[in-house]
Amino acid sequence: MTAIGRARSWAAAGVLLIGVAGCGLVPHASRPAGGGPTEAKITAHEAALTATEQQHVEQYWAGRGIAAMARTDRSGAFVQPEWDKGGAIARTVGRIYVTGAQDAACTATAVGTNTVVTAAHCVRTTLPDGSSRTATWDKNLYFVPGYRDGQSPHGGFTVRRVHMAEDWQADGSDVAMLEMNPAADGRSVSAVVGAQKIAFGAKPGGSTHQFGYPYTSRVLHCEGPGTQPGDAPRFLRIPCRMGVGSSGGPYIVDLDPAGIGTVVAVNVSSDAAYSYGTALGPVAGRLFTQSEHP
């Protein structure tokens, strides 16, 4: 593991752009096994497949889970300013709720017809031995796009499958693509809230926006130049910090006035000066394709 450690969120040439059909939008430790990141083994984990399982997750969070966690959210004195410009950001970025050792939440973003991206460590809990493969899969995965002040303005979505690298704790592999179940009326997550663009292999540089819910009642925002750490080429860093709960949040470039941009990384850690994100590369591209076309 590099110096860019990851904490559990508890209380190149040829940039590839993927489109969303019918939405008018274009979405969003040690080295990996094999000869490089492209060859990393990937895995899919079934979450809520049946109608009964989906109903259980819905009832769990709607019944008490979200409200209980909202009581611990900060409603002011944010570490970064809240995003107050509305637009697509206010619909596509949201919270991903999970049950691991306890209930927890991270940040996630709608990036495909039926795909949401977050950090891998947000949906798996590492055991004391530290192994990627023995980490437990979290349960009750539930995405609330546009979460604000304890409310779910666009409803919530259960997760059908989780797609990630088997060695997800390797540098550049801490990313998960969540294959979403449709809403109760049969619409996909993108049909309800839209989707951000997503790029695999984008080069750092220029203005980069970070969004996250570091246990706050509203999505926060900061902006700065995106750079590549010299000792960690599979990461992207921004000179701003948010804290626990912002893991999985998107780093977005080319953000337009309507709130649509391109996700190029997901937040995984921070130090005294920077937030660090897993740069989306070939592995993330494979995960996205697997989620969109299971």
Side-chain angles (χ1 to χ4, degrees):
M1 182 180 289
T2 68
I4 305 173
R6 288 171 291 278
R8 178 59 198 241
S9 294
W10 298 112
V15 174
L16 175 62
L17 295 177
I18 306 296
V20 177
C23 297
L25 302 174
V26 184
H28 188 2
S30 16
R31 285 176 286 279
T38 305
E39 299 176 21
K41 292 182 179 180
I42 58 178
T43 185
H45 174 74
E46 296 180 348
L49 293 181
T50 68
T52 299
E53 291 169 336
Q54 295 165 32
Q55 184 178 43
H56 169 80
V57 175
E58 290 268 5
Q59 292 176 342
Y60 182 85
W61 292 111
R64 62 184 178 89
I66 291 178
M69 294 192 65
R71 289 193 288 269
T72 67
D73 284 341
R74 287 172 288 173
S75 298
F78 300 143
V79 293
Q80 299 288 348
E82 68 173 282
W83 176 257
D84 59 3
K85 298 180 181 180
I89 291 295
R91 301 189 305 272
T92 56
V93 179
R95 296 182 89 169
I96 180 72
Y97 291 90
V98 305
T99 301
Q102 58 183 323
D103 288 348
C106 280
T107 307
T109 311
V111 291
T113 302
N114 62 311
T115 299
V116 166
V117 65
T118 190
H121 75 263
C122 288
V123 293
R124 294 193 75 173
T125 301
T126 306
L127 297 178
D129 67 3
S131 167
S132 293
R133 290 175 175 81
T134 62
T136 58
W137 293 92
D138 294 340
K139 300 178 180 179
N140 298 328
L141 276 60
Y142 193 60
F143 177 58
V144 178
Y147 172 86
R148 182 179 173 90
D149 296 334
Q151 301 301 311
S152 307
H154 309 290
F157 294 82
T158 59
V159 177
R160 186 170 182 81
R161 292 185 184 88
V162 179
H163 303 270
M164 65 168 65
E166 285 191 355
D167 190 9
W168 55 275
Q169 296 182 100
D171 287 353
S173 296
D174 191 359
V175 58
M177 298 290 174
L178 309 182
E179 178 189 333
M180 310 303 294
N181 288 305
D185 61 5
R187 291 186 297 166
S188 67
V189 63
S190 64
V192 176
V193 300
Q196 293 293 330
K197 304 173 186 177
I198 188 166
F200 307 102
K203 295 297 186 182
S207 180
T208 304
H209 301 260
Q210 179 186 356
F211 298 91
Y213 288 90
Y215 283 89
T216 51
S217 58
R218 301 180 180 185
V219 64
L220 306 189
H221 166 251
C222 60
E223 177 184 0
T227 58
Q228 188 179 67
D231 60 344
R234 296 179 187 171
F235 292 89
L236 180 67
R237 67 183 181 186
I238 310 174
C240 57
R241 298 181 63 199
M242 286 196 185
V244 172
S246 64
S247 284
Y251 291 10
I252 296 180
V253 299
D254 301 328
L255 189 66
D256 69 19
I260 291 291
T262 303
V263 179
V264 296
V266 293
N267 187 47
V268 295
S269 189
S270 65
D271 59 21
Y274 293 94
S275 287
Y276 296 86
T278 295
L280 303 183
V283 172
R286 289 171 59 201
L287 296 173
F288 180 83
T289 299
Q290 189 179 77
S291 177
E292 288 288 276
H293 307 286

